[in-house]
Amino acid sequence: MFRAHRWLKISGLAIGVVILALAFIVVRPDTYWPHKRLVIRAPFELSDPPSTLIPMGEKVYHPDSPSGHPGIDFQWSHKDVNIVASADGKISKLQQTPEHFNNWDMEITSWPYVIRYKELQDYDTNLKKGSSVKAGQFLGHPTHPAD
């Protein structure tokens, strides 16, 4: 009887620890804890504003998304535009865009935030996953609509 009681106590404690760990993974309380304030800037030079903008929540081009467009799309009518980092951080992802073979996706993490740069035509080849970047640093060039 004593061994069974002890076994129940230990297994109950182990199950509780597993549940608590899963809750931390799912709920991510670290995003709610106090953290530094993130100051972001436009991902382009202000002297070169985009010709088209698709805002967050838009449902015309994204009808299948329940909450609408999940980001902000910028588009230029010319090719000589530099995309720059919106905030200081580290490159947490740099890969070819799955849907468009010749484009690149980049993510910069500035804990706990992640800023995504999708469908870049090219990128600064000195940058790699894990590289630190500063706000305003050149990242690459956007895909041109005619490409």
Side-chain angles (χ1 to χ4, degrees):
M1 172 102 180
F2 177 71
R3 285 181 181 248
H5 188 286
R6 184 172 182 212
W7 182 84
L8 283 172
K9 192 185 256 187
I10 291 172
S11 62
L13 182 63
I15 290 170
V17 167
V18 169
I19 290 172
L20 186 61
L22 287 173
F24 269 89
I25 292 169
V26 172
V27 177
R28 299 258 345 252
D30 57 318
T31 59
Y32 304 106
W33 291 340
H35 52 275
K36 70 176 184 169
R37 184 174 146 219
L38 180 67
V39 176
I40 62 171
R41 55 156 286 153
F44 52 86
E45 297 302 331
L46 296 179
S47 59
D48 202 4
S51 55
T52 307
L53 177 90
I54 299 176
M56 291 178 84
E58 159 295 304
K59 289 188 173 244
V60 174
Y61 299 107
H62 302 85
D64 296 333
S65 180
S67 57
H69 188 250
I72 301 173
D73 286 354
F74 301 98
Q75 193 172 54
W76 288 264
S77 57
H78 55 285
K79 292 186 178 201
D80 57 345
V81 176
N82 290 334
I83 299 299
V84 297
S86 292
D88 296 348
K90 282 196 175 195
I91 297 177
S92 52
K93 184 179 190 180
L94 180 58
Q95 68 180 31
Q96 282 192 306
T97 304
E99 302 85 27
H100 306 286
F101 179 70
N102 291 324
N103 296 334
W104 296 88
D105 291 344
M106 183 183 297
E107 289 184 359
I108 296 179
T109 300
S110 185
W111 187 89
Y113 305 101
V114 176
I115 301 171
R116 293 181 176 96
Y117 303 84
K118 306 288 275 176
E119 300 178 15
L120 294 171
Q121 179 180 349
D122 57 31
Y123 68 95
D124 180 351
T125 55
N126 294 319
L127 299 174
K128 296 175 179 23
K129 185 175 177 182
S131 296
S132 293
V133 296
K134 293 285 185 190
Q137 182 177 337
F138 172 74
L139 300 177
H141 297 101
T143 304
H144 191 268
D147 293 341

mmCIF file of all heavy atoms in Angstrom, residues 10 18 40 50 57 94 103 147:
data_model
loop_
_atom_site.group_PDB
_atom_site.id
_atom_site.type_symbol
_atom_site.label_atom_id
_atom_site.label_comp_id
_atom_site.label_asym_id
_atom_site.label_seq_id
_atom_site.Cartn_x
_atom_site.Cartn_y
_atom_site.Cartn_z
ATOM 1 N N ILE A 10 4.335 10.391 -6.999
ATOM 2 C CA ILE A 10 5.407 10.729 -7.937
ATOM 3 C C ILE A 10 4.857 10.872 -9.359
ATOM 4 O O ILE A 10 5.195 11.815 -10.072
ATOM 5 C CB ILE A 10 6.533 9.661 -7.883
ATOM 6 C CG1 ILE A 10 7.257 9.769 -6.536
ATOM 7 C CG2 ILE A 10 7.508 9.841 -9.042
ATOM 8 C CD1 ILE A 10 8.246 8.665 -6.280
ATOM 9 N N VAL A 18 4.643 17.954 -16.651
ATOM 10 C CA VAL A 18 4.436 17.867 -18.099
ATOM 11 C C VAL A 18 3.342 18.828 -18.537
ATOM 12 O O VAL A 18 3.480 19.554 -19.536
ATOM 13 C CB VAL A 18 4.110 16.417 -18.524
ATOM 14 C CG1 VAL A 18 3.627 16.362 -19.966
ATOM 15 C CG2 VAL A 18 5.323 15.524 -18.327
ATOM 16 N N ILE A 40 10.244 50.501 -34.172
ATOM 17 C CA ILE A 40 10.471 50.056 -35.539
ATOM 18 C C ILE A 40 10.445 51.239 -36.495
ATOM 19 O O ILE A 40 9.909 52.293 -36.178
ATOM 20 C CB ILE A 40 9.439 48.997 -35.988
ATOM 21 C CG1 ILE A 40 8.020 49.565 -35.976
ATOM 22 C CG2 ILE A 40 9.532 47.758 -35.135
ATOM 23 C CD1 ILE A 40 7.000 48.653 -36.605
ATOM 24 N N PRO A 50 6.500 53.345 -51.290
ATOM 25 C CA PRO A 50 5.916 52.343 -52.190
ATOM 26 C C PRO A 50 4.793 52.932 -53.036
ATOM 27 O O PRO A 50 4.149 53.905 -52.655
ATOM 28 C CB PRO A 50 5.374 51.280 -51.233
ATOM 29 C CG PRO A 50 5.181 51.988 -49.946
ATOM 30 C CD PRO A 50 6.191 53.084 -49.893
ATOM 31 N N GLY A 57 -5.458 42.879 -42.447
ATOM 32 C CA GLY A 57 -6.891 42.697 -42.328
ATOM 33 C C GLY A 57 -7.638 42.741 -43.636
ATOM 34 O O GLY A 57 -8.814 42.416 -43.701
ATOM 35 N N LEU A 94 16.271 32.414 -42.942
ATOM 36 C CA LEU A 94 16.674 32.911 -44.255
ATOM 37 C C LEU A 94 16.598 31.721 -45.199
ATOM 38 O O LEU A 94 17.397 30.798 -45.108
ATOM 39 C CB LEU A 94 18.089 33.484 -44.214
ATOM 40 C CG LEU A 94 18.653 34.034 -45.520
ATOM 41 C CD1 LEU A 94 17.769 35.141 -46.080
ATOM 42 C CD2 LEU A 94 20.057 34.557 -45.311
ATOM 43 N N ASN A 103 12.795 33.650 -55.079
ATOM 44 C CA ASN A 103 12.636 34.678 -54.048
ATOM 45 C C ASN A 103 13.108 34.152 -52.698
ATOM 46 O O ASN A 103 13.229 32.949 -52.494
ATOM 47 C CB ASN A 103 11.176 35.110 -53.942
ATOM 48 C CG ASN A 103 10.680 35.768 -55.211
ATOM 49 O OD1 ASN A 103 11.455 36.326 -55.971
ATOM 50 N ND2 ASN A 103 9.395 35.707 -55.439
ATOM 51 N N ASP A 147 8.519 40.870 -62.594
ATOM 52 C CA ASP A 147 9.442 39.713 -62.607
ATOM 53 C C ASP A 147 8.708 38.409 -62.460
ATOM 54 O O ASP A 147 7.729 38.277 -61.838
ATOM 55 C CB ASP A 147 10.470 39.842 -61.486
ATOM 56 C CG ASP A 147 11.425 41.004 -61.723
ATOM 57 O OD1 ASP A 147 11.502 41.447 -62.875
ATOM 58 O OD2 ASP A 147 12.070 41.441 -60.759
#
